[in-house]
Amino acid sequence: MKVNGILVRELRKSKGYTQKDLCGGICEQATISNIERNGTCSNVHILAKICNRLNIKVDEIIIEDYETHVKSVLQRVKKLCLVSKHTEANEILIKEIEMDQVTNLNLLREIHYYLGNTLLIAEINLDDALYHFQRAMELAHYPDILTSLSKNGIGIYYELKKDNEKALVHYKESIHIARSIEDCPLLLNRVFFNAAKFYSLEKKYQEAVLLCNEALNINEKNQSTELMEYIIYEKAYNSYFLDDPSYLEQYNDALSMARINKNVHVIETIYEDLKDMVHFSPSADLLTYLVRSSQHYQNEKYTKKTMTEGNNG
């Protein structure tokens, strides 16, 4: 691991230690010399003992390498994208990652994908988004999960450009690649979910439901609830147009999941859907409950936000 060798040397000298004094009973003098000169230490237990003797915490001298930094930034970006905060995620990517410093090819492709995804979904710059998706695919040695996701993103690009014929081609290709990938990694649920939304716009409701089921199967295999409120919502929406009586229960499941994850975006979408639905069936009471429940949660969030802003003022 990389450590601040200059700081170690300064602390050692400030305490009046020689390298021999510092290493005594801990390690060879060469280890201390390597830390101070090259800024590296391969044994965390030795490093912990040296830090204890210098009265400093280990994390105060460890230098985060750039790859670790990039992975940390990408984790934050992914979490923001899950709750539809794509603009904020894009700002973080631009401000905190210097692409010319990234040497790991897989990380570089992932950065390109998320730059494309955030630029696209937030509709900041569609043409730049297309460029990043293409770069993520060009850097691949063979079709993989990032290829499928990028193809999927290009499908969204053409959908936003109102070229549904090209959009359909890329959605189909992304699905084909996704189905060929073994072990069904969790990220593939996005491929099926985004394709389901497109098929829904094309009024191909049955195909959309089947794609949602594939996304849900991926979540089940990975024992994950990630993106679940979106997927269940999309299935509910399409089930409604298929006159599937279970659509209200599906809406209820999506609402419950969204409330757990504090996903106001999905809650608001459910409310807007349901308040305009006229459904004469024994389930009408559930429909009324869901409308009121989603509206109540929105009002509750708005009240808390207003109170917080008032306190901050």
Side-chain angles (χ1 to χ4, degrees), residues 96 144 195 221 250 262:
E96 300 189 26
D144 61 2
K221 288 178 181 178
Q250 293 167 19
K262 297 181 173 58

Side-chain angles (χ1 to χ4, degrees), residues 288-300:
T288 303
Y289 162 75
L290 289 174
V291 171
R292 289 177 178 172
S293 180
S294 56
Q295 185 179 32
H296 171 74
Y297 187 76
Q298 289 179 76
N299 291 340
E300 185 181 63

Side-chain angles (χ1 to χ4, degrees), residues 221-272:
K221 288 178 181 178
N222 286 275
Q223 297 181 330
S224 172
T225 60
E226 190 171 298
L227 215 67
M228 282 280 277
E229 61 264 39
Y230 290 98
I231 301 167
I232 298 172
Y233 159 76
E234 191 63 33
K235 182 178 179 180
Y237 179 82
N238 286 279
S239 295
Y240 168 77
F241 288 102
L242 291 171
D243 294 322
D244 181 346
S246 70
Y247 84 94
L248 279 174
E249 285 78 5
Q250 293 167 19
Y251 267 115
N252 188 34
D253 291 341
L255 179 59
S256 299
M257 189 67 68
R259 291 181 70 171
I260 291 170
N261 292 331
K262 297 181 173 58
N263 193 330
V264 179
H265 173 74
V266 171
I267 293 167
E268 289 174 346
T269 304
I270 290 172
Y271 172 68
E272 290 301 319

Side-chain angles (χ1 to χ4, degrees), residues 118-182:
T118 54
L119 286 166
L120 183 73
I121 305 303
E123 296 190 42
I124 298 170
N125 188 319
L126 300 188
D127 291 334
D128 278 359
L130 179 62
Y131 163 78
H132 286 295
F133 287 137
Q134 289 172 335
R135 285 298 293 151
M137 292 190 297
E138 288 168 2
L139 292 170
H141 295 300
Y142 51 84
D144 61 2
I145 183 168
L146 283 173
T147 309
S148 178
L149 288 165
S150 297
K151 281 277 185 185
N152 202 251
I154 295 174
I156 298 173
Y157 168 85
Y158 283 114
E159 181 184 333
L160 292 172
K161 288 287 189 176
K162 309 300 182 185
D163 190 341
N164 286 4
E165 186 175 338
K166 285 185 179 178
L168 181 60
V169 170
H170 284 88
Y171 278 125
K172 284 184 174 180
E173 288 178 355
S174 71
I175 291 169
H176 176 73
I177 295 169
R179 286 173 176 162
S180 70
I181 296 172
E182 296 180 1

Side-chain angles (χ1 to χ4, degrees), residues 94-106:
I94 293 171
K95 289 179 181 178
E96 300 189 26
I97 292 180
E98 297 289 339
M99 294 186 71
D100 58 359
Q101 293 187 42
V102 181
T103 57
N104 183 306
L105 183 61
N106 288 330

Side-chain angles (χ1 to χ4, degrees), residues 16-48:
Y17 294 158
T18 64
Q19 288 188 348
K20 188 175 181 180
D21 294 331
L22 182 56
C23 74
I26 297 176
C27 58
E28 298 294 327
Q29 185 176 337
T31 302
I32 303 298
S33 179
N34 186 54
I35 290 172
E36 293 185 357
R37 285 190 175 199
N38 302 319
T40 59
C41 181
S42 60
N43 191 313
V44 69
H45 300 294
I46 287 175
L47 185 63

